[in-house]
Amino acid sequence: MLDLSTVYLGHKLRNPIVASSSSLTNTPEKVKQLEDAGVGAVSLRSIFEEEIEGEIEGLERQEGHTEAWDYIRSAEMSHGLDEYRQLIKGSKAAVSIPVFASMNAKSSSFWVDHVKVLEDAGADGIELNLSLLPVDYHDTEEKIIRFYIDTVKQVKQRVSVPLAVKIGYYFTSIPSVVDQLHYAGANAVVMFNRFYQVDIDVRKERLSSMSPISAPSDYVIPLRWVMLTYGKTPIDLATSSGVHDGRTVVKMLLAGATVTQVCSTLLKNGVEHLDTMRSELEGWMRENGYSSVDQFRGKLSQKRSNRPKSFERIQYVKTVAAHA
Ligand SMILES: Cc1cc2nc3c(=O)[nH]c(=O)nc-3n(C[C@H](O)[C@H](O)[C@H](O)COP(=O)(O)O)c2cc1C
């Protein structure tokens, strides 16, 4: 009997595959389908700071449109804290797997006071999406990291459930950010938010957004950073981006992920695809003689490498040499 169980955000999950915050998780009925299909836990679709502040209409009126607006519109979100509270309560009543609430914030201000509502509604943890896309030249790296840290500290003062922070990858030093988030009180880091790519429609001469669905090759970015951060800071590592099959779940676990989140592959292939992913993970474990995921988690991380100091450099030199 294989043991796929994993402890993430203080909860025992039956397996390390978590449904990402998205339109997959925007109703209790869909959350129930995900449980029936076999996920270990779910992150509910985010409530956006703008929803709480009632700014969505304002966003719509802006010139062109912002990334935040695209996100909100594409996820077909309903508005308001009350509805979000019902989403948490309804999902908790429908399933027995852990249900994490998700909040997407762009400023640490008024909305922080509302985060307690998510805990009171029964969320088993909170995922805070703080993935800012820095575009203002006044926003120095130091200022942005300070925003992350201050926000985490403020949220931790208000709630007692575990906290995951979903970040983007535009940092000079991701390991340092992970470490600082841990010291600020975060229990997990989700690597990474997938920024919507903006395009230009040359016929209409206006901005357009590209598909939010990831490509299977996108997994290499979180893979690298999980490999490099695993075991250095006592914090759970969740990956998000490009996990489309069971073999990629295996890769993330070998790199050191506590859990892998999945979204695009389920939107594309249906939630039944979870069965195939789990079978691929189990098949690989049997072939390689593992009976639990804990036996191989982090096996190919930098921390467990024979040459941790030159880990990245060796991979780089090998790649260059192979194509010389
Ligand atoms: C339609 C759609 C809606 C999404 N909504 C949210 C959201 O509400 N909050 C959030 O943090 N991420 C959201 N995401 C991002 C996903 O959670 C995930 O990070 C991203 O899709 C990368 O994972 P994937 O490659 O498995 O799709 C959304 C993604 C899609 C495709």
Side-chain angles (χ1 to χ4, degrees):
M1 181 71 178
L2 297 179
D3 178 12
L4 304 188
S5 69
T6 295
V7 177
Y8 175 62
L9 286 180
H11 298 277
K12 186 166 180 185
L13 275 49
R14 58 185 165 170
N15 67 60
I17 305 178
V18 173
S20 304
S21 176
S22 68
S23 50
L24 280 171
T25 56
N26 62 7
T27 67
E29 294 71 30
K30 291 188 191 173
V31 169
K32 175 75 180 120
Q33 280 169 11
L34 286 161
E35 179 181 61
D36 293 344
V39 285
V42 295
S43 282
L44 298 176
R45 67 92 170 165
S46 299
I47 180 159
F48 282 73
E49 184 181 323
E50 290 87 346
E51 286 181 84
I52 298 173
E53 296 186 7
E55 283 180 4
I56 289 184
E57 295 312 313
L59 267 179
E60 194 171 21
R61 283 195 296 270
Q62 285 176 9
E63 280 293 305
H65 54 255
T66 65
E67 177 168 3
W69 174 245
D70 273 348
Y71 223 152
I72 291 163
R73 197 183 46 187
S74 71
E76 292 173 349
M77 288 173 173
S78 51
H79 305 174
L81 259 179
D82 256 358
E83 277 170 69
Y84 201 75
R85 189 192 283 121
Q86 293 314 321
L87 173 61
I88 298 172
K89 284 191 166 171
S91 302
K92 280 297 293 173
V95 299
S96 53
I97 54 173
V99 173
F100 306 123
S102 164
M103 200 167 216
N104 188 302
K106 65 180 167 62
S107 68
S108 42
S109 54
F110 151 91
W111 67 270
V112 175
D113 293 329
H114 298 274
V115 75
K116 184 92 178 78
V117 170
L118 312 186
E119 179 176 55
D120 292 344
D124 294 304
I126 293 171
E127 187 175 291
L128 206 52
N129 187 333
L130 292 182
S131 323
L132 297 183
L133 190 64
V135 288
D136 186 329
Y137 65 87
H138 296 295
D139 288 342
T140 60
E141 171 113 352
E142 197 186 357
K143 188 171 158 194
I144 290 163
I145 295 178
R146 175 64 28 220
F147 159 69
Y148 278 57
I149 302 304
D150 287 347
T151 307
V152 168
K153 284 184 177 164
Q154 288 183 58
V155 170
K156 282 300 275 191
Q157 279 167 9
R158 286 164 175 83
V159 295
S160 53
V161 287
L163 180 67
V165 183
K166 189 168 182 178
I167 61 173
Y169 47 82
Y170 297 114
F171 289 105
T172 306
S173 169
I174 289 170
S176 159
V177 171
V178 171
D179 200 46
Q180 293 183 63
L181 288 171
H182 161 66
Y183 280 105
N187 306 95
V189 174
V190 184
M191 297 175 181
F192 293 106
N193 182 59
R194 196 164 174 273
F195 291 105
Y196 274 137
Q197 305 300 335
V198 171
D199 201 355
I200 289 178
D201 180 331
V202 290
R203 199 171 52 84
K204 295 183 183 157
E205 291 184 37
R206 49 176 295 194
L207 301 184
S208 63
S209 44
M210 295 174 76
S211 166
I213 302 297
S214 66
S217 56
D218 290 345
Y219 78 88
V220 292
I221 298 176
L223 184 78
R224 156 177 281 163
W225 292 109
V226 167
M227 258 180 214
L228 293 173
T229 46
Y230 170 78
K232 309 229 176 113
T233 298
I235 194 167
D236 291 343
L237 301 175
T239 72
S240 177
S241 282
V243 177
H244 284 228
D245 54 34
R247 288 193 79 77
T248 314
V249 174
V250 171
K251 292 180 191 185
M252 293 300 187
L253 293 169
L254 283 167
T258 316
V259 295
T260 58
Q261 297 196 350
V262 289
C263 174
S264 292
T265 193
L266 302 187
L267 289 172
K268 241 174 40 187
N269 303 310
V271 295
E272 309 75 41
H273 185 57
L274 282 162
D275 208 29
T276 314
M277 291 180 78
R278 229 186 19 255
S279 303
E280 284 167 352
L281 168 61
E282 288 173 346
W284 180 88
M285 284 171 67
R286 275 194 203 93
E287 275 167 33
N288 293 277
Y290 295 112
S291 57
S292 79
V293 290
D294 288 341
Q295 289 171 338
F296 62 94
R297 178 177 288 110
K299 191 173 174 185
L300 297 183
S301 62
Q302 183 194 34
K303 167 118 183 159
R304 307 249 305 261
S305 129
N306 295 334
R307 295 186 186 162
K309 287 219 166 79
S310 44
F311 182 81
E312 262 292 294
R313 185 81 190 148
I314 289 173
Q315 303 309 321
Y316 171 65
V317 172
K318 270 190 195 167
T319 310
V320 173
H323 292 87

